[in-house]
Amino acid sequence: MIIDAHSHVHDPVEAHLGLLDEAGADRAVLFAPRPHPERARDLASLRREMAVLDEAVGGRAGTVEAYREAWRELDAALAAHPERFVGFLPRLRRSDRGARTGRIRCPRLPGAAGGWQHLRVLGKRGVVLTVVAAAYGLSSMGDQMAILSLTLRLHDQGHSGFAVSALVVAGVLPLVVVGPLAAPLVDRVESGRLVVVVAVLQALVSAGLVFVTGLAGTLVLLVLLGAGLALASPALLLLVPRIVGADGTARGYARLDAFRSAGNVAGPALAGVLIAVSDVRVVLLANTATFVAMAVVLACLGVRREPVAGAGGSWPAQVREGVRVLGGDRLLRTAILALASAIVFTAVLSVARVFFIRDDLGVSGTGYGFLVSAHTVGMLASSTLIAPRVPLEWQPRVLVGAGVLMGASLAVGAAVPVFALALVSFALTGVANSLQGLAIRNLIHARVPEQVRGRAFATSGATLNGANLVGTALGGPATALLGGAGALELAGAGTLLVTLAGSPVLLRHRAGAVAPERSRAPEQGAEPAQE
């Protein structure tokens, strides 16, 4: 093994990797420099960087605060490429090493014993990922508990089906509208801190639902919860590479999805039990506790992802950049449009399913429960057993294959109304659903520059959630005209057609053919990498 025994953090780090490869060096001992001459674009900027070096050499930058940004850059480089870099850390940095050494750094509580301040987590990235994913799954479980309990409360208050529909829309609409507009905040603010602050605010809003019982107030609070989710979700995705490293990102996304699916299964069941033994307020307080748990976990772990240089400009320009970076990449543009079009059809399932199961299959309530659960079981199996093992370069093919699987499962299961076949078909739709969502996340991570990635996640999420709203709205008329089985056959055929329409582009390109993230700080106005 050849080791470069004394090197400094480069910006971008990928340029340093290229130099190591060119020199034939396997690893480098990495120091945290304050000056970055490689960032200079002209003589004036070079002088600024060298002035920083002059301060350091001359002993005029002797405070700890002066070096914290350099340490954060070192942390990011070590987290992203642990197989290539070894960090050189001064003694005064010992209290700042929590996220990387496997220590959980909890806020100091008055009267708390010292043992609570630094909890060991075996020093393994997988353990940290599991803890974060479990907190995310717990929060998802709380969301499902809240929706079910609020639906029952509105029903018991005598509200119509329109009120229940408004309840669902109030939770999803902020992801479509607020998400892209507020997304620049995700790229501007340190991601761990953003998730903690948003979770605390969501806990306060959720607590308000305990006391606000009117329809209008409930809808307003749900909109606020949805707005928080529109910020927290992409910020959490940005933390995954910092936890597991760039090579483990697909596994990290799959772990989050697995725990989210588990939470979605457990939420309604637990809410039903709590309502049976207490009332709706207890369920809403439990949801509040899940937000508090998320905030405490992220605060204690200290996992950080600092904003990347280049996420500047006016707010409207930054919002447009999230759209432009996706639209300017032919593979991403095709993948997102194909999946959004497919979702318009597959979302019909959420409305038509009950009519197909009760009217066409004629099964009991127990059978209905098994069939609905089959979809989530398929998602869990896929995100646990299949998705983490799919190589990055296969993701476009996986997207096509999952779309074909989704369409065929819906069409065949509806055309032959047999309970056993329907059970298998619904499980396969869950497998396809998980693979589709994870493929889009992995493609965005691979092809979008890091300084725009938060906006890209928010914009793609808004597009896909918007398609889901449209499909759900169309599910009612489609079911009324065609019946449950007919609506599912239409959903399957439409999903197959739009997937096959996008397949020539998706099958022709490899996910890793272009790596825009290798140029982390493009010049102002530069175009994103395209095919």
Side-chain angles (χ1 to χ4, degrees):
M1 176 180 288
I2 300 176
I3 299 176
D4 180 358
H6 187 127
S7 192
H8 295 91
V9 176
H10 285 48
D11 185 16
V13 176
E14 287 74 14
H16 193 182
L17 296 176
L19 293 173
L20 290 174
D21 292 339
E22 183 179 349
D26 300 291
R27 306 191 75 174
V29 178
L30 206 57
F31 289 71
R34 294 178 63 239
H36 281 283
E38 73 276 10
R39 290 175 178 168
R41 295 292 182 266
D42 51 33
L43 183 58
S45 57
L46 178 61
R47 283 174 173 163
R48 284 195 298 270
E49 296 294 338
M50 298 309 290
V52 176
L53 176 60
D54 184 61
E55 286 182 358
V57 174
R60 297 188 300 277
T63 65
V64 173
E65 290 299 328
Y67 291 91
R68 289 198 184 278
E69 179 60 31
W71 291 339
R72 282 194 288 267
E73 293 174 352
L74 176 60
D75 284 343
L78 296 176
H81 303 283
E83 75 287 355
R84 302 300 298 274
F85 297 132
V86 178
F88 184 89
L89 306 172
R91 284 182 176 272
L92 53 82
R93 282 240 36 218
R94 286 182 176 176
S95 63
D96 293 284
R97 294 168 59 189
R100 195 175 56 262
T101 61
R103 289 182 182 269
I104 299 179
R105 298 185 291 108
C106 294
R108 184 169 295 277
L109 304 176
W116 286 100
Q117 304 308 316
H118 298 287
L119 305 177
R120 289 286 186 182
V121 289
L122 307 181
K124 295 182 179 179
R125 295 177 185 275
V127 176
V128 177
L129 173 64
T130 300
V131 172
V132 173
Y136 181 52
L138 193 67
S139 180
S140 298
M141 182 185 74
D143 293 340
Q144 296 300 317
M145 293 169 63
I147 289 295
L148 186 143
S149 60
L150 291 173
T151 300
L152 292 177
R153 186 163 75 180
L154 290 180
H155 176 269
D156 294 344
Q157 289 175 348
H159 290 285
S160 67
F162 290 104
V164 177
S165 298
L167 195 73
V168 176
V169 171
V172 178
L173 194 60
L175 297 173
V176 180
V177 178
V178 178
L181 297 178
L185 192 64
V186 179
D187 286 319
R188 281 185 169 186
V189 178
E190 191 278 307
S191 301
R193 185 180 300 115
L194 179 61
V195 175
V196 170
V197 171
V198 168
V200 170
L201 293 176
Q202 286 180 305
L204 295 175
V205 173
S206 179
L209 287 170
V210 177
F211 306 101
V212 175
T213 58
L215 176 59
T218 298
L219 294 179
V220 169
L221 292 178
L222 278 179
V223 168
L224 293 176
L225 283 178
L229 184 61
L231 291 173
S233 292
L236 196 60
L237 293 177
L238 293 179
L239 285 174
V240 170
R242 291 292 182 264
I243 298 173
V244 297
D247 294 339
T249 301
R251 173 172 57 87
Y253 290 154
R255 187 81 56 88
L256 286 183
D257 194 64
F259 275 88
R260 181 183 64 85
S261 299
N264 289 342
V265 172
L270 182 57
V273 172
L274 289 177
I275 290 174
V277 300
S278 55
D279 60 19
V280 169
R281 290 175 297 177
V282 173
V283 179
L284 295 174
L285 285 174
N287 182 42
T288 302
T290 65
F291 290 121
V292 174
M294 171 67 84
V296 171
V297 165
L298 267 294
C300 288
L301 285 175
V303 180
R304 302 173 65 85
R305 182 262 182 190
E306 296 294 338
V308 178
S314 67
W315 197 276
Q318 291 185 64
V319 172
R320 291 193 297 270
E321 182 68 9
V323 178
R324 188 178 68 83
V325 74
L326 296 178
D329 185 302
R330 189 181 183 192
L331 177 58
L332 283 177
R333 181 175 67 244
T334 303
I336 293 172
L337 289 178
L339 181 55
S341 301
I343 287 175
V344 170
F345 287 99
T346 57
V348 171
L349 172 66
S350 61
V351 178
R353 178 171 53 195
V354 62
F355 296 95
F356 170 70
I357 294 173
R358 299 294 284 179
D359 299 339
D360 296 293
L361 292 180
V363 301
S364 64
T366 303
Y368 176 83
F370 275 112
L371 289 170
V372 171
S373 299
H375 178 84
T376 308
V377 169
M379 291 186 67
L380 267 172
S382 174
S383 57
T384 304
L385 302 175
I386 303 174
R389 294 170 172 80
V390 178
L392 174 62
E393 60 269 20
W394 289 10
Q395 296 298 336
R397 302 172 196 170
V398 167
L399 195 58
V400 174
V404 171
L405 178 63
M406 175 72 79
S409 299
L410 288 172
V412 173
V416 185
V418 177
F419 179 82
L421 181 60
L423 192 67
V424 174
S425 297
F426 282 10
L428 291 178
T429 61
V431 171
N433 192 350
S434 176
L435 290 175
Q436 287 172 321
L438 291 171
I440 289 294
R441 291 179 184 177
N442 286 316
L443 287 173
I444 290 175
H445 174 80
R447 301 180 69 86
V448 172
E450 188 177 357
Q451 70 267 21
V452 199
R453 202 172 288 156
R455 281 164 282 174
F457 278 130
T459 301
S460 66
T463 303
L464 301 180
N465 280 297
N468 187 61
L469 280 179
V470 172
T472 302
L474 295 176
T479 303
L481 290 173
L482 304 173
L488 291 183
E489 289 176 353
L490 173 64
T495 300
L496 280 171
L497 287 175
V498 297
T499 299
L500 294 176
S503 62
V505 173
L506 296 175
L507 295 177
R508 189 168 62 247
H509 295 88
R510 296 176 58 193
V514 173
E517 64 182 341
R518 292 176 185 255
S519 178
R520 289 175 49 189
E523 294 296 326
Q524 187 71 20
E527 292 297 318
Q530 302 182 18
E531 291 289 350

